[in-house]
Amino acid sequence: MDYVSFASDYMEGCHPAILELMRATNRDQHAGYGTDKICASARAHIQEACACPNAAVHFLAGGTQTNACVLDALLAPWEGVLAATTGHIATHEAGAIERSGHKVIELAGERGKLPADRVREAAAAWETDANHDHMVRPGVVYISQPTEYGTLYTLEELEGLRAVCDEYDMRLYVDGARLAYALACDVNDVTLSDLARLADAFYIGGTKCGALLGEAVVFPNPSTCPQFFTLTKQHGALLAKGWLLGMQFEALFCDDLYLRVGRPAIEAANAMRRAFEERGYRLMFDSPTNQVFVELDDATARSLAEHVGYSFWEKTDRGHTIVRFATSWATTQEDVATLGRLL
Amino acid sequence: MDYVSFASDYMEGCHPAILELMRATNRDQHAGYGTDKICASARAHIQEACACPNAAVHFLAGGTQTNACVLDALLAPWEGVLAATTGHIATHEAGAIERSGHKVIELAGERGKLPADRVREAAAAWETDANHDHMVRPGVVYISQPTEYGTLYTLEELEGLRAVCDEYDMRLYVDGARLAYALACDVNDVTLSDLARLADAFYIGGTKCGALLGEAVVFPNPSTCPQFFTLTKQHGALLAKGWLLGMQFEALFCDDLYLRVGRPAIEAANAMRRAFEERGYRLMFDSPTNQVFVELDDATARSLAEHVGYSFWEKTDRGHTIVRFATSWATTQEDVATLGRLL
Amino acid sequence: MDYVSFASDYMEGCHPAILELMRATNRDQHAGYGTDKICASARAHIQEACACPNAAVHFLAGGTQTNACVLDALLAPWEGVLAATTGHIATHEAGAIERSGHKVIELAGERGKLPADRVREAAAAWETDANHDHMVRPGVVYISQPTEYGTLYTLEELEGLRAVCDEYDMRLYVDGARLAYALACDVNDVTLSDLARLADAFYIGGTKCGALLGEAVVFPNPSTCPQFFTLTKQHGALLAKGWLLGMQFEALFCDDLYLRVGRPAIEAANAMRRAFEERGYRLMFDSPTNQVFVELDDATARSLAEHVGYSFWEKTDRGHTIVRFATSWATTQEDVATLGRLL
Amino acid sequence: MDYVSFASDYMEGCHPAILELMRATNRDQHAGYGTDKICASARAHIQEACACPNAAVHFLAGGTQTNACVLDALLAPWEGVLAATTGHIATHEAGAIERSGHKVIELAGERGKLPADRVREAAAAWETDANHDHMVRPGVVYISQPTEYGTLYTLEELEGLRAVCDEYDMRLYVDGARLAYALACDVNDVTLSDLARLADAFYIGGTKCGALLGEAVVFPNPSTCPQFFTLTKQHGALLAKGWLLGMQFEALFCDDLYLRVGRPAIEAANAMRRAFEERGYRLMFDSPTNQVFVELDDATARSLAEHVGYSFWEKTDRGHTIVRFATSWATTQEDVATLGRLL
């Protein structure tokens, strides 16, 4: 019997349109460090998709690198970043943010999300503390869309966070590692142009969303960090072949492919959720995107693991475990059917 | 008339063998972060090519990133790195080494190279200075092979540097961004296994040597930095799709392609050097590798620039400039002939 | 009516014995950077008091600086430090630990203390997490004796923490900013030699304990960080006039003054606690040392503030506040009587 | 026979006026962290002495710490600091500036000074380099007054440096570790108010100039770094007993003591220079301040060392050495006479 893995959404190569563009241009010569024509074209496509013609757009290679660079650009040395305890920067980036000198100030999230009220409380606590000059100032609010639990911020929730940021002179940064899966999701009501209107910076994930690799950082206001190019070089994050990254987004933003590329993953995840529910499994966190969290008893988990890849999430009690199944742009309905037959 | 660029060696995509491997495996699923089978295979090939079966091999995305990670691994916090003033880390990495806390201690080089005696002098100066506990200790010697001037260390010179390092308890690190062009060069007498025997760490350049992107770091002694994986994650240098990098080296180290991939560049550069010399131009730095430095009068430089890309290097006097022509694995003799017709 | 402040324990100058030593030697010439004879003598006294003749002893100027330097010495770049949420490094050092690259991993404390079981749980969670190479490794356990809530670890509790550290290859670091007030406290059963036996590093607080300024760092095992001198210089923490710091501890460790210098503070705090209790005030956190935490209604707090200095700690509900009264080596029973008359 | 040391200017305690103020106020209670009345008064005195009533004034403990904090405040992350190769930050601060992430860009000095033309050349070289986004931008010019060679910038030279800074959008920072010895020197024509008019930041040295310890940082424009307080805390440079530092400058700026405190050192140095010259010794660097550099043959150096302390500077040839004799506010003419009898 075949083996299919839902362990993550970065396991396959790239969308055929990208591979074809790479093949067709393989012998072409390009200027270095993102100063080439393909990057310029990709930037223009993204500015248009975000309805933000002046946005500064930079292409980096991966998520942790992007978070470290953007937060370093947005934070003063004496500032830290507010994040959910489950936020990627708080737990699974090996201290990359602290390594560049900034404290990650953790707040309890709700199914991966930071409620505006909790952020307001934290900002107000700093502001009213008589000793706050001895404390790290919260300078940025970090959220991910979708979150690490696959949940989505609504437009209203995002606007609430923006309001808190305005109130307390903080910046809002959205980690869009899996943004294509939010945009392709039926219940999503946050568009790229909403992000460009509400965030001080966000990134459009490529690595997990059909690109071979790469993330597109968007600063809606181009004066936010004029020296971001040099800052990324200092972080070791500037690729000589910047055009390779630009090419990913050139293909993904041609004919709005990025808005469609996550759709197969959502349909597969929806089918998977139905399959679990029909069989009485307990779904967790109410995730509507490409990550499906389900509680398994340990025997089922073990036997499934022989034929299907998934990720361990957390133990709930003796004998039960929450595991994650992630679909991707490359997942087929047949893959889900294979899983269904094993349940 | 056509335009051909010799501005750098990272302007084209990748060797066809790599593109084909990427195409053939595009829909395969791979484990993340370099823990996959292709990376394992590529590591084994590299260990064999280096005659160093226990070497730790890590795949990173680019040169500055690699230098920053490796030097951070090799240096104690209170140590700095000795480098030629013309060394890449000293000038063109935007302070990435200092950003991770380490001083680059510059020494005057000779045609891009650090003579062992000059290194010994610097190490001895520190050791005998009564105030040296107030000074940065030279902990690593950084060299590049070939150098930024296209010159090569001989085996004897490398052994001399190793001896100084042993004498003064320093580590030796070799930046091999263009290593394929050294290995393909007629006058070169330093092999991969020499590097593995003499250096504490070195990297085998991919980005400029036929790979789409990627550099392979080799620690001949695997206990040099057991936590290098986590360290790279902290630096934002760990790609989720590590297999993409492994795949580059899997192809480059299949049938020793890496030893041959730079040959067309060397042949093109040799032809180019002949073309310049026949016409009376003055070659500089005596570079035997893929970088050709030549002095042009400003009028020639201007008229050439309409049809040929090259890099500005430095002004020699009013009216004359040193420029660099770089060939690559993708350069053809026809490209050189085009240049020849313009001279 | 007079005003007396209990706002903190660093408000007065220094013990008369120190002032006299400074006066008597003011025109003497001393070698710089702690290489003088007074520092040597003070080191010997401290080694003796700790029953640890080989300990490395360094003198620094203040607490945050000391914590940043020692943690930088004890932690690998990819490690972080476990601390109670109320630990000084977690909240009131403006991110100094993160500034030098290390994550402070916060754990809920109990009245300021970290129970060994909670530390074990955190260490085990990291060790058993399959993704731990992507996570900051807990490398040091940070505690303070007394804690920020004035509470004390018992010898048994300290031994429990040492056992966890041994089990999980972590180091134990004790912040002794107020150590004299622990040593002078009736219920304390942890001696200097216990600290030297159980901790990998600790510091003997001077600034808050009768010295004009200064903290004495003790590494019981001198090979823990042989280059600590240079590391402190890099942190800007090496005073030219190191002998000034040595002189503080020379006086404080002459005839065991350090064991007695906190006694007046404890007696004053005990009297203050009795005064509050007799009048029905609610004491908090059960602190036996020189910090007295008491709940005041807001009207009382306001009227008291006209004549007495104290620190705001936290609001308990509308109308009530916990405040802190700190006594010091310089507090007199008359000061406490003044407070008593106002209650 | 007695032993007298001219090894440095930080070997004695403090001016009697300071000791008396410390004695008289030893039992007083002060607010912490420089928020007390003595600091406020000292700040006002310094603002007045600098004819700069709005200047921000901060008190730190030592020179390396001060340089690290101020440069971190003045530099963007991607900027470095231009300094003479002999500048204190370039050689004898153990890499403290690099430790906080910034490159020290070394320029050859002339007798310790940076000529404006050389600075202009370096700034222009960066500005006109087509690759400058890959290079550290020179953001600050660091000079010391007097320099490490005891030489002085003239007002005209300082104005020249200011002009270059204006031309290239750089800031000017003056390290005044030994500023009192410049101000007390006959040939000096740069006043405190000149420094406040021409520099973006400078510090008034205390540690080497009669204070027990401490340096007063002056930002003539208070908006240069509004969060400097928190930044110093992050660097571990904020003393709890800030009033101790304020007290030094309160005494030093009472009745302009600071302008006179270096005078005995200058007179002693002048006498020493005459003594050397009369006996045919060769003075070096033409230093007019409290540092006297003289070439000794090795036999003389050895025999002198039995009775007199001095610092080794550098070997000139086999058999000769340049050594430094430093006088201080505490040096007497009798000390110099002692030296004279030994020559």
Side-chain angles (χ1 to χ4, degrees):
Chain A
M1 184 162 183
D2 278 354
Y3 183 92
V4 60
S5 181
F6 301 100
S8 193
D9 31 21
Y10 51 64
M11 307 187 74
E12 295 95 359
C14 61
H15 190 278
I18 295 173
L19 197 62
E20 174 51 25
L21 182 57
M22 288 170 59
R23 197 200 55 73
T25 60
N26 189 51
R27 279 282 176 152
D28 293 358
Q29 292 190 311
H30 312 275
Y33 303 104
T35 63
D36 64 285
K37 290 176 191 167
I38 295 177
C39 283
S41 171
R43 277 187 200 102
H45 283 312
I46 287 174
Q47 289 164 335
E48 192 183 4
C50 295
C52 193
N54 295 317
V57 179
H58 297 264
F59 302 113
L60 300 183
T64 296
Q65 174 178 101
T66 300
N67 289 334
C69 288
V70 173
L71 288 172
D72 213 20
L74 294 179
L75 290 166
W78 46 84
E79 290 181 333
V81 50
L82 288 169
T85 304
T86 53
H88 205 257
I89 57 167
T91 52
H92 286 108
E93 299 192 351
I97 306 308
E98 289 84 357
R99 194 66 201 273
S100 49
H102 301 291
K103 187 180 184 77
V104 178
I105 308 166
E106 300 182 22
L107 297 179
E110 296 199 349
R111 296 183 303 119
K113 296 199 280 183
L114 274 186
D117 283 352
R118 203 161 294 161
V119 171
R120 177 176 286 108
E121 212 173 278
W126 182 86
E127 192 140 308
T128 58
D129 191 314
N131 283 320
H132 73 202
D133 286 342
H134 299 258
M135 297 162 70
V136 175
R137 183 182 185 277
V140 168
V141 175
Y142 165 94
I143 61 172
S144 35
Q145 173 82 331
T147 69
E148 293 73 10
Y149 282 146
T151 52
L152 291 175
Y153 285 87
T154 64
L155 184 55
E156 193 183 346
E157 288 170 333
L158 266 191
E159 285 172 336
L161 285 167
R162 176 74 260 165
V164 180
C165 287
D166 288 342
E167 211 174 320
Y168 287 97
D169 187 23
M170 300 188 293
R171 283 120 269 151
L172 181 61
Y173 170 51
V174 183
D175 177 333
R178 295 187 167 99
L179 190 57
Y181 304 117
L183 297 173
C185 187
D186 305 309
V187 301
N188 173 59
D189 68 347
V190 176
T191 65
L192 284 168
S193 62
D194 290 329
L195 289 174
R197 180 170 52 85
L198 297 169
D200 293 280
F202 63 101
Y203 83 84
I204 301 171
T207 299
K208 295 175 173 173
C209 301
L212 190 60
L213 83 168
E215 328 294 334
V217 174
V218 182
F219 292 105
N221 179 345
S223 69
T224 301
C225 183
Q227 283 83 7
F228 193 70
F229 180 94
T230 303
L231 187 148
T232 63
K233 180 89 182 188
Q234 277 201 320
H235 276 260
L238 188 71
L239 280 196
K241 293 181 180 170
W243 48 264
L244 172 62
L245 303 175
M247 206 174 272
Q248 312 295 313
F249 289 92
E250 175 68 5
L252 285 171
F253 278 83
C254 180
D255 296 331
D256 288 335
L257 173 58
Y258 195 77
L259 303 182
R260 290 174 281 117
V261 72
R263 191 64 201 164
I266 298 300
E267 283 166 7
N270 287 342
M272 198 187 282
R273 277 185 277 263
R274 282 193 300 274
F276 279 120
E277 286 184 316
E278 284 165 16
R279 288 159 180 84
Y281 290 89
R282 189 171 161 222
L283 294 177
M284 313 297 291
F285 310 137
D286 197 19
S287 157
T289 57
N290 73 317
Q291 300 183 77
V292 178
F293 296 88
V294 61
E295 191 182 50
L296 300 181
D297 66 84
D298 293 354
T300 305
R302 263 193 307 275
S303 75
L304 255 188
E306 290 170 36
H307 302 290
V308 181
Y310 56 78
S311 297
F312 168 83
W313 218 248
E314 56 186 86
K315 295 292 293 177
T316 41
D317 59 32
R318 278 175 178 277
H320 287 83
T321 302
I322 299 176
V323 305
R324 184 193 73 176
F325 294 80
T327 62
S328 85
W329 59 274
T331 307
T332 62
Q333 288 290 335
E334 175 49 28
D335 294 333
V336 179
T338 300
L339 171 62
R341 283 191 294 275
L342 292 161
L343 291 177
Chain B
M1 183 163 184
D2 279 354
Y3 184 91
V4 59
S5 181
F6 300 98
S8 195
D9 32 22
Y10 50 65
M11 306 186 75
E12 296 94 0
C14 60
H15 190 278
I18 295 172
L19 197 63
E20 173 52 24
L21 181 58
M22 288 171 58
R23 195 202 55 73
T25 59
N26 189 52
R27 277 285 175 150
D28 293 356
Q29 292 190 310
H30 311 275
Y33 303 106
T35 64
D36 63 285
K37 290 174 191 170
I38 294 177
C39 282
S41 171
R43 276 186 201 104
H45 283 312
I46 287 174
Q47 288 164 334
E48 193 182 4
C50 296
C52 193
N54 296 317
V57 179
H58 296 264
F59 302 113
L60 300 183
T64 295
Q65 173 179 99
T66 300
N67 289 335
C69 288
V70 172
L71 289 172
D72 213 18
L74 294 179
L75 291 166
W78 46 83
E79 291 181 332
V81 52
L82 289 170
T85 305
T86 52
H88 205 257
I89 58 168
T91 51
H92 286 109
E93 299 192 351
I97 307 308
E98 289 85 357
R99 192 68 202 271
S100 48
H102 301 290
K103 187 179 184 77
V104 179
I105 307 166
E106 299 183 22
L107 298 179
E110 296 198 352
R111 296 185 302 120
K113 295 200 280 181
L114 275 186
D117 283 351
R118 203 161 293 162
V119 172
R120 177 175 287 109
E121 211 173 279
W126 183 87
E127 192 140 307
T128 59
D129 192 313
N131 283 321
H132 73 203
D133 288 341
H134 298 258
M135 296 162 70
V136 174
R137 182 183 185 277
V140 168
V141 176
Y142 165 94
I143 61 171
S144 35
Q145 173 83 331
T147 70
E148 294 72 10
Y149 281 146
T151 51
L152 290 176
Y153 286 87
T154 64
L155 183 55
E156 194 183 344
E157 289 170 333
L158 264 191
E159 285 172 338
L161 286 167
R162 174 75 261 166
V164 180
C165 287
D166 288 342
E167 213 174 318
Y168 287 96
D169 188 21
M170 301 187 294
R171 282 120 269 151
L172 180 61
Y173 169 52
V174 183
D175 177 334
R178 294 187 169 100
L179 190 56
Y181 303 117
L183 296 173
C185 187
D186 304 308
V187 302
N188 173 58
D189 68 348
V190 177
T191 64
L192 284 169
S193 61
D194 290 328
L195 289 174
R197 180 171 52 87
L198 296 169
D200 293 280
F202 63 101
Y203 83 83
I204 300 170
T207 299
K208 294 175 174 172
C209 300
L212 189 61
L213 83 168
E215 327 295 333
V217 175
V218 181
F219 293 105
N221 179 344
S223 69
T224 301
C225 184
Q227 284 82 9
F228 193 69
F229 180 95
T230 303
L231 187 149
T232 62
K233 179 88 182 188
Q234 277 200 321
H235 275 260
L238 188 70
L239 278 198
K241 293 180 179 170
W243 49 264
L244 172 62
L245 302 175
M247 205 173 273
Q248 312 296 312
F249 289 91
E250 175 68 5
L252 284 171
F253 278 82
C254 180
D255 295 329
D256 289 334
L257 172 58
Y258 194 77
L259 302 183
R260 291 174 281 116
V261 73
R263 191 63 202 165
I266 298 300
E267 284 167 5
N270 286 342
M272 198 186 281
R273 276 185 278 262
R274 282 192 302 272
F276 279 120
E277 286 184 316
E278 284 166 16
R279 287 158 180 84
Y281 289 91
R282 187 170 162 224
L283 294 178
M284 314 296 290
F285 309 136
D286 197 18
S287 156
T289 58
N290 73 315
Q291 300 183 75
V292 179
F293 297 87
V294 62
E295 192 183 50
L296 300 181
D297 66 85
D298 293 354
T300 307
R302 262 193 309 275
S303 75
L304 256 189
E306 290 170 36
H307 302 292
V308 181
Y310 56 78
S311 297
F312 168 83
W313 218 248
E314 55 187 87
K315 294 293 293 176
T316 41
D317 59 31
R318 277 177 178 278
H320 288 85
T321 302
I322 301 176
V323 306
R324 185 193 72 175
F325 293 81
T327 61
S328 83
W329 59 275
T331 306
T332 63
Q333 289 289 337
E334 176 51 29
D335 294 333
V336 179
T338 300
L339 171 62
R341 284 191 292 275
L342 292 161
L343 290 177
Chain C
M1 183 164 184
D2 279 354
Y3 183 91
V4 60
S5 181
F6 300 99
S8 194
D9 31 22
Y10 50 66
M11 306 186 74
E12 295 95 359
C14 61
H15 189 279
I18 296 173
L19 197 62
E20 173 51 26
L21 182 57
M22 289 171 58
R23 195 201 56 72
T25 60
N26 189 53
R27 278 284 176 150
D28 293 356
Q29 292 190 309
H30 311 274
Y33 304 106
T35 64
D36 63 286
K37 290 175 191 166
I38 294 177
C39 283
S41 171
R43 277 187 200 103
H45 283 312
I46 288 174
Q47 289 164 334
E48 192 182 5
C50 295
C52 192
N54 296 317
V57 179
H58 296 264
F59 302 113
L60 300 182
T64 295
Q65 173 178 99
T66 300
N67 289 334
C69 288
V70 173
L71 289 171
D72 213 18
L74 294 179
L75 290 166
W78 45 83
E79 290 180 333
V81 51
L82 289 169
T85 305
T86 52
H88 205 257
I89 58 168
T91 52
H92 286 107
E93 299 192 351
I97 307 308
E98 290 84 358
R99 193 66 202 272
S100 48
H102 302 290
K103 187 180 183 77
V104 178
I105 308 165
E106 299 183 21
L107 298 178
E110 296 198 350
R111 295 185 303 120
K113 295 200 280 182
L114 274 186
D117 283 352
R118 203 162 293 162
V119 172
R120 178 175 284 108
E121 213 173 277
W126 182 87
E127 192 140 307
T128 59
D129 192 313
N131 283 320
H132 73 203
D133 286 342
H134 299 259
M135 297 161 70
V136 175
R137 182 182 185 278
V140 168
V141 176
Y142 165 94
I143 60 171
S144 36
Q145 173 82 334
T147 70
E148 294 74 9
Y149 282 148
T151 51
L152 291 176
Y153 286 87
T154 64
L155 183 55
E156 193 183 346
E157 288 170 334
L158 265 192
E159 286 172 336
L161 286 167
R162 175 74 260 166
V164 180
C165 287
D166 287 342
E167 214 175 318
Y168 287 97
D169 188 22
M170 300 188 294
R171 283 120 270 150
L172 180 61
Y173 169 51
V174 183
D175 177 334
R178 294 187 169 100
L179 191 56
Y181 304 117
L183 297 173
C185 187
D186 304 309
V187 301
N188 174 59
D189 68 347
V190 177
T191 64
L192 284 169
S193 62
D194 290 327
L195 289 174
R197 180 171 52 86
L198 296 169
D200 294 281
F202 64 100
Y203 83 83
I204 301 171
T207 300
K208 294 174 173 172
C209 300
L212 189 60
L213 84 167
E215 328 293 334
V217 175
V218 181
F219 292 106
N221 180 344
S223 68
T224 301
C225 183
Q227 284 82 6
F228 193 69
F229 180 94
T230 303
L231 188 148
T232 61
K233 180 89 183 188
Q234 277 200 320
H235 276 260
L238 188 69
L239 278 197
K241 293 181 181 170
W243 49 265
L244 172 63
L245 302 175
M247 206 173 274
Q248 312 296 313
F249 289 90
E250 174 70 4
L252 284 171
F253 278 82
C254 180
D255 295 332
D256 289 333
L257 173 58
Y258 195 78
L259 302 183
R260 289 174 281 117
V261 73
R263 191 62 203 166
I266 299 300
E267 284 167 6
N270 286 342
M272 198 187 282
R273 278 185 277 262
R274 281 192 303 271
F276 280 119
E277 286 186 314
E278 284 165 14
R279 287 158 181 86
Y281 289 91
R282 189 170 160 223
L283 295 178
M284 314 296 291
F285 311 135
D286 198 17
S287 156
T289 57
N290 73 316
Q291 300 183 75
V292 179
F293 296 88
V294 62
E295 191 182 53
L296 300 181
D297 66 84
D298 292 354
T300 305
R302 262 194 308 276
S303 75
L304 256 188
E306 291 171 36
H307 302 291
V308 180
Y310 56 78
S311 297
F312 167 82
W313 218 248
E314 55 187 88
K315 294 292 294 178
T316 41
D317 59 31
R318 278 176 177 276
H320 288 84
T321 302
I322 299 175
V323 304
R324 184 193 73 175
F325 294 81
T327 61
S328 84
W329 59 275
T331 306
T332 62
Q333 288 289 336
E334 175 50 30
D335 294 333
V336 179
T338 300
L339 171 61
R341 283 191 294 274
L342 292 162
L343 291 178
Chain D
M1 186 163 182
D2 279 353
Y3 184 91
V4 60
S5 182
F6 301 98
S8 194
D9 33 20
Y10 50 65
M11 306 186 76
E12 296 94 359
C14 60
H15 190 278
I18 295 172
L19 197 64
E20 173 51 26
L21 182 57
M22 288 171 59
R23 196 200 56 71
T25 59
N26 188 52
R27 279 285 176 148
D28 293 357
Q29 292 189 310
H30 311 275
Y33 303 105
T35 63
D36 63 285
K37 290 175 190 168
I38 294 177
C39 283
S41 172
R43 276 186 200 103
H45 283 312
I46 287 174
Q47 289 163 335
E48 192 182 5
C50 296
C52 194
N54 296 318
V57 179
H58 296 264
F59 302 111
L60 300 183
T64 295
Q65 173 179 99
T66 300
N67 289 335
C69 289
V70 172
L71 288 171
D72 213 20
L74 293 179
L75 290 166
W78 45 84
E79 290 181 334
V81 51
L82 289 169
T85 304
T86 52
H88 205 257
I89 58 167
T91 52
H92 286 108
E93 299 193 350
I97 307 308
E98 291 84 358
R99 193 66 202 272
S100 48
H102 302 289
K103 188 180 184 74
V104 178
I105 307 166
E106 299 183 21
L107 298 179
E110 298 198 350
R111 295 185 301 121
K113 295 199 279 181
L114 275 186
D117 284 351
R118 202 161 295 161
V119 172
R120 177 175 288 107
E121 212 172 279
W126 182 87
E127 192 140 305
T128 58
D129 191 313
N131 283 320
H132 73 204
D133 288 342
H134 298 258
M135 296 162 69
V136 174
R137 182 182 186 278
V140 168
V141 176
Y142 165 95
I143 61 171
S144 35
Q145 174 82 333
T147 70
E148 293 73 10
Y149 281 146
T151 52
L152 290 176
Y153 287 88
T154 64
L155 184 55
E156 194 182 345
E157 289 170 332
L158 265 191
E159 284 172 339
L161 286 167
R162 174 74 261 165
V164 181
C165 287
D166 287 343
E167 212 175 319
Y168 287 97
D169 188 22
M170 300 187 294
R171 284 120 269 152
L172 180 61
Y173 169 51
V174 183
D175 177 333
R178 294 188 168 99
L179 191 55
Y181 303 118
L183 296 174
C185 187
D186 304 309
V187 302
N188 173 60
D189 69 346
V190 177
T191 64
L192 284 169
S193 61
D194 290 327
L195 290 174
R197 179 171 53 87
L198 296 170
D200 293 281
F202 63 101
Y203 82 85
I204 300 171
T207 299
K208 294 174 173 172
C209 301
L212 189 61
L213 82 169
E215 328 294 334
V217 175
V218 180
F219 293 105
N221 179 344
S223 68
T224 301
C225 183
Q227 284 82 7
F228 193 70
F229 180 94
T230 303
L231 187 148
T232 62
K233 179 89 182 188
Q234 277 201 321
H235 275 259
L238 188 70
L239 280 196
K241 293 179 180 170
W243 49 265
L244 172 62
L245 302 175
M247 206 172 274
Q248 312 296 313
F249 290 91
E250 174 69 5
L252 284 172
F253 278 82
C254 180
D255 296 331
D256 288 333
L257 172 58
Y258 195 77
L259 302 182
R260 291 173 280 118
V261 72
R263 192 63 202 165
I266 298 301
E267 284 166 5
N270 287 342
M272 199 186 283
R273 277 185 276 262
R274 281 192 301 272
F276 279 119
E277 286 183 316
E278 284 165 16
R279 288 159 180 84
Y281 289 90
R282 190 170 159 223
L283 294 177
M284 314 295 292
F285 310 136
D286 198 18
S287 156
T289 57
N290 73 315
Q291 299 183 77
V292 179
F293 296 87
V294 62
E295 192 182 48
L296 301 181
D297 65 87
D298 293 355
T300 306
R302 262 192 308 275
S303 75
L304 255 189
E306 291 170 36
H307 302 290
V308 180
Y310 56 78
S311 297
F312 168 83
W313 218 249
E314 57 186 84
K315 295 291 294 177
T316 41
D317 59 32
R318 277 175 180 277
H320 288 85
T321 302
I322 299 176
V323 305
R324 185 193 71 175
F325 294 80
T327 61
S328 84
W329 60 274
T331 306
T332 62
Q333 289 290 336
E334 175 50 30
D335 294 333
V336 179
T338 301
L339 171 62
R341 283 190 293 274
L342 292 161
L343 289 177

